[in-house]
């Protein structure tokens, strides 16, 4: 095959462009720290990066869900703690009255006033909110659980429990229906903490405080006050049981958050291994590509150096 000057020149220009293209690609990788910028650079690597980024986005959402659930439960646990303190104080006052240390009418009135204040605080705690959502109102988070008179403000089913996804096929129950804490039923009956709640129904816990306040006001039947001691203890045990359940969920969420952090770290490491360049290695490759390009320029200069005038002379 006859080799013409045009063929030599065309091959030289093609090779120069290829070497320059390689050099430009390596310089881009070093400047950005990434192995590819378009899918055609490394289709398999790009598909892996897309999957890793999707996994990271999912894990970060799971972590946000876990953090939100933890914050919700922290507020719930604080509210339950306050209810426990109220019951403890009411128990102490009732013990004093039942023991006869405060028999004078004026003393009973003072105890009654404090019991009434504790009752009002119970109602406020029942309407506790987290991010403008009432934590004891089931799915009806836009409505308070209790009215100002202490009766239920909403119909509440005990299965109104929402769940957050904190992992693949892993959920956690976040809220606690108010009926599980305040209960339902007459003050002289056994409290019911598992049945659905109807609007305008008086919570058992509020009924106990109302009965105690009424007896303190009349001061006629100390036996009723002594019976109230046992009722307050039962209410306190129920609050402690719910608080223990919330605490167990918080411990589980803490473990879950640590696991999600570890998973995010692992996927980020895989993503970095897949698309990040080794700066030392890429610097060596750039130096080699520069040498190759300069060599191709020198070779090309010798190929096209003779002109027609030089050839004729």
């Amino acid at each position: 095959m006859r080799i013409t000057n045009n063929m030599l020149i065309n091959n030289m220009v093609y090779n120069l462009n290829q070497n320059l293209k390689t050099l430009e690609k390596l310089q881009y990788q070093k400047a950005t720290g990434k192995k590819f910028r378009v899918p055609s650079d490394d289709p398999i690597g790009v598909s892996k990066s897309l999957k890793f980024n999707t996994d990271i986005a999912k894990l970060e959402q799971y972590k946000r869900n876990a953090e939100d659930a933890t914050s919700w439960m922290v507020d719930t646990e604080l509210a339950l703690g306050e209810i426990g303190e109220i019951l403890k104080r009411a128990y102490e006052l009732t013990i004093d009255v039942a023991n006869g240390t405060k028999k004078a009418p004026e003393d009973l009135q003072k105890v009654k006033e404090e019991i009434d204040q504790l009752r009002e605080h119970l109602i406020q705690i029942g309407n506790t909110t987290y991010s403008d959502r009432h934590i004891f109102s089931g799915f009806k988070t836009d409505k308070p659980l209790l009215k100002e008179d202490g009766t239920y403000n909403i119909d509440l089913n005990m299965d109104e429990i929402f769940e957050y996804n904190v992992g693949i096929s892993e959920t956690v129950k976040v809220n606690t229906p108010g009926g599980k804490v305040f209960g339902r039923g007459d003050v002289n009956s056994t409290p019911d903490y598992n049945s659905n709640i109807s609007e305008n129904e008086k919570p058992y816990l509020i009924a106990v405080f109302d009965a105690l306040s009424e007896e303190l006001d009349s001061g006629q039947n100390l036996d009723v006050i002594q019976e109230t001691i046992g009722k307050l203890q039962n209410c306190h045990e129920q609050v402690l049981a719910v608080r223990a359940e919330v605490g167990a969920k918080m411990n589980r969420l803490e473990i879950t958050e640590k696991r999600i952090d570890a998973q995010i770290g692992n996927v980020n490491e895989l993503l970095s291994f897949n698309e990040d360049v080794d700066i030392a290695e890429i610097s060596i490759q750039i130096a080699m590509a520069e040498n190759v390009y300069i060599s191709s320029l020198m070779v090309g200069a010798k190929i096209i150096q003779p002109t027609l005038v030089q050839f004729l002379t």
Side-chain angles (χ1 to χ4, degrees):
M1 184 178 70
R2 180 172 176 270
I3 305 300
T4 65
N5 285 337
N6 281 338
M7 292 173 64
L8 289 174
I9 293 172
N10 288 338
N11 286 337
M12 180 203 67
V13 172
Y14 174 79
N15 290 330
L16 275 176
N17 286 334
Q18 290 299 312
N19 292 336
L20 191 60
K21 184 179 178 181
T22 301
L23 184 60
E24 186 273 338
K25 181 179 179 181
L26 293 171
Q27 288 176 336
Y28 172 83
Q29 290 179 345
K30 185 177 181 180
T32 61
K34 302 296 180 185
K35 293 178 182 176
F36 39 77
R37 54 182 164 182
V38 292
S40 58
D41 289 342
D42 184 358
I44 295 176
V46 170
S47 65
K48 285 184 177 178
S49 288
L50 288 173
K51 183 180 183 306
F52 290 146
N53 281 306
T54 301
D55 291 344
I56 290 171
K58 286 181 180 177
L59 289 169
E60 288 177 343
Q61 183 59 55
Y62 291 147
K63 186 180 178 183
R64 285 194 291 273
N65 291 348
E67 290 173 343
D68 188 44
T70 299
S71 298
W72 181 291
M73 290 185 189
V74 166
D75 280 11
T76 303
E77 203 273 341
L78 290 174
L80 293 173
E82 282 192 62
I83 294 175
E85 291 298 319
I86 289 174
L87 290 173
K88 183 180 176 183
R89 179 57 182 162
Y91 178 79
E92 292 172 352
L93 292 171
T94 309
I95 287 288
D96 286 343
V97 175
N99 289 339
T101 56
K102 295 180 179 177
K103 284 185 176 179
E106 57 270 21
D107 290 340
L108 293 179
Q109 280 301 314
K110 291 177 182 176
V111 173
K112 176 187 180 302
E113 289 174 4
E114 185 166 353
I115 290 294
D116 289 343
Q117 288 301 314
L118 293 174
R119 176 188 179 277
E120 292 300 316
H121 195 49
L122 271 179
I123 295 173
Q124 292 179 2
I125 296 173
N127 297 330
T128 299
T129 60
Y130 165 73
S131 295
D132 295 330
R133 293 177 289 175
H134 292 84
I135 62 176
F136 291 120
S137 297
F139 294 158
K140 306 172 189 68
T141 56
D142 59 330
K143 296 180 180 177
L145 176 69
L146 302 174
K147 297 179 181 177
E148 292 183 359
D149 62 1
T151 57
Y152 283 115
N153 184 50
I154 55 175
D155 293 328
L156 178 61
N157 296 329
M158 297 306 288
D159 59 355
E160 292 187 24
I161 298 175
F162 44 85
E163 300 179 351
Y164 282 4
N165 288 323
V166 293
I168 299 174
S169 302
E170 182 180 356
T171 59
V172 61
K173 295 178 180 177
V174 178
N175 64 321
T176 301
K180 204 168 183 177
V181 179
F182 290 86
R184 65 187 293 270
D186 185 75
V187 68
N188 294 318
S189 62
T190 302
D192 182 0
Y193 296 104
N194 299 310
S195 298
N196 297 334
I197 300 300
S198 300
E199 185 179 355
N200 296 324
E201 196 173 9
K202 179 178 283 191
Y204 177 80
L205 186 54
I206 298 297
V208 170
F209 274 75
D210 284 345
L212 177 60
S213 176
E214 185 177 342
E215 289 301 323
L216 289 171
D217 193 30
S218 63
Q220 297 176 350
N221 191 351
L222 291 179
D223 291 339
V224 175
I225 294 177
Q226 288 181 341
E227 291 175 1
T228 304
I229 295 173
K231 294 173 184 175
L232 289 172
Q233 285 179 325
N234 291 334
C235 293
H236 197 199
E237 288 174 2
Q238 176 64 18
V239 171
L240 289 176
V242 176
R243 194 175 179 183
E245 181 182 336
V246 173
K249 290 179 184 176
M250 292 173 66
N251 289 337
R252 176 189 166 192
L253 282 172
E254 185 179 354
I255 296 172
T256 300
E257 285 183 42
K258 290 180 180 177
R259 175 175 52 78
I260 293 174
D261 283 337
Q263 289 177 330
I264 291 175
N266 289 336
V267 179
N268 272 320
E269 188 176 349
L270 290 173
L271 178 63
S272 175
F273 180 76
N274 183 63
E275 66 179 27
D276 291 349
V277 297
D278 185 328
I279 297 299
E281 182 180 352
I282 201 70
S283 298
I284 295 173
Q285 291 180 358
I286 288 175
M288 292 173 62
E290 287 174 346
N291 289 333
V292 170
Y293 180 65
I294 292 172
S295 298
S296 63
L297 284 175
M298 293 173 64
V299 172
K302 290 182 179 178
I303 291 176
I304 63 175
Q305 189 176 20
T307 62
L308 179 59
V309 176
Q310 290 172 331
F311 179 75
L312 293 175
T313 55

